Amino acid sequence: MNAPHLPKVAGIDSTVPPPAHTAPCAQGAPAASGAQSAPGALIQDRLAGWVSDLTTLHELTERLSRTAALDGALGELLRAGAALVGARRGLVVLEPADGLGPTTTVGLGLARADLGHLETVPRAATSFGRLLDATAGAIPGVPDSAPTAKTAPPAAAPVTEIVQPDLLADEALDPRHREVAVRLGYAASYALPLLTDTAGRVGAVVWLYDEPAEPAERQRHLIGRYLQYATEHLARLVELDRARSTTATLRTELLPPRLPRVPGVQLAARHGTGPRGGGDWFDALPLPDAALGLAVGSVTGSGPSAVAAMGRLRASLRAYAVMEGEDPVAVLSDLELLLRLTEPARSATALFAFCEPALRKIVLAGAGHSPPLIVGERRTEFVETSLSAPLGMLACWEAPSVDIRPEPGETLLLYTDGLLQRTGDAMDRAFARLHAAAASVPKAARDDPGEIADHVLRTVLPEGLDGPAAAASEEDVVLLAARFE
């Protein structure tokens, strides 16, 4: 009699091999009264195994999908894979085939020094090196005596693997590889490439066993299924990382590479960027008659388009400042007209200050921007600026300017709203926190605008510009300090 056909269940591929925990039916065992037949019990056992495997894969892919950065995704891939193949340690080498990067190596249960030891092994002698250098579907240069290259079960996508179940018993093993394996205490390895249909090779991953071992057929099938999703996720994160790197490079090139030296004033600037890269900017430019122009601003939006708009706005402000910098209202009025005509769908905030250091005189105007802060021995106070709309919000922008007379040794702090918003507090409490941070600057640090800026940032943002709060926020932070002598 023909063997019974397994029923089709939604979402389950009935062609996968039986679960490892499924035991064969005992022949000749008497069936209990009312008990199901042996074929029925086998079907239920297989279905239970498939459902268990699918649940496990679902949980692991869900955890991976919540990672938004490459390092986190690589670490999650290693942990999940180690659980699926029964290993304790491993490493993943990220090396996209197009050569555009990023390239990195992340270990599980391996310290940085351990990864350094592995890097001393000739690339061709490592399983991940052979996978990275291999052409699709083949591993060139593997002798017949070396560990065989196998393919995953037919139910999974074609995946080439290198199994080394007993490294120390392999006479063809490279001597340096043997030495490192003994030093690090692993005796077997299981390696897989990270391949996608669209991006090609992304990298390779290796799991290490403390004793001679290799994954069972079921484990290989599960890790193959998992890597199908994981590699696509990594490929998306690689593209995102490249976009962020390009945006960061563009933003760096658009901001001042260095601050000018003007007699009578010392300058310092600090800049932090959110994960998507926003349009916050600053500028300091020497003007005729030993004057100095200071500016900070923010463009709505994030990503490359906001960075490009920021560059255009900053370049235009520099031109207007050179022509009529002594009148900050005129500078911002011209900037507003340009923004309204060239980018009507975008708005921006800006603050421009015309400084005459020899006279210790500042004339400034703001368009929807937070007021600057004066920090000195005898006062720490916000400058009273007129309430005004951001650029691009009204048909015609205009607001009165404000005159400031800083005392010798006082510092003017210009900043963007991101500094306040990254605190997570309501705006009134964020302003109070900023004021308290500026007032608490140690006396020994008040002679250096850089130390003042660093103290304010450490106090307002204890986790720093690049801490966990920065990764969770899309806000840029700009802080420009000008100390008058």
Side-chain angles (χ1 to χ4, degrees), residues 151-179:
T151 57
V159 177
T160 303
E161 61 181 18
I162 296 182
V163 185
Q164 294 178 299
D166 193 348
L167 281 166
L168 301 183
D170 181 10
E171 297 180 357
L173 189 67
D174 184 273
R176 180 56 185 163
H177 193 178
R178 185 184 302 275
E179 178 184 344

Side-chain angles (χ1 to χ4, degrees), residues 389-481:
L391 303 175
M393 296 293 288
L394 301 177
C396 182
W397 176 91
E398 188 170 346
S401 60
V402 178
D403 291 351
I404 309 173
R405 295 280 183 170
E407 297 294 329
E410 289 189 331
T411 299
L412 180 69
L413 293 180
L414 310 179
Y415 54 92
T416 58
D417 291 344
L419 178 60
L420 305 174
Q421 293 168 353
R422 280 227 193 149
T423 63
D425 295 335
M427 290 305 286
D428 56 343
R429 295 185 60 184
F431 275 116
R433 180 186 290 195
L434 175 59
H435 184 278
S440 66
V441 175
K443 185 176 181 180
R446 292 182 182 269
D447 293 337
D448 187 341
E451 292 188 17
I452 294 174
D454 291 336
H455 174 85
V456 169
L457 288 174
R458 283 195 304 268
T459 308
V460 176
L461 304 176
E463 295 179 343
L465 288 177
D466 302 319
S473 173
E474 295 185 359
E475 299 294 336
D476 290 2
V477 173
V478 165
L479 182 60
L480 178 60

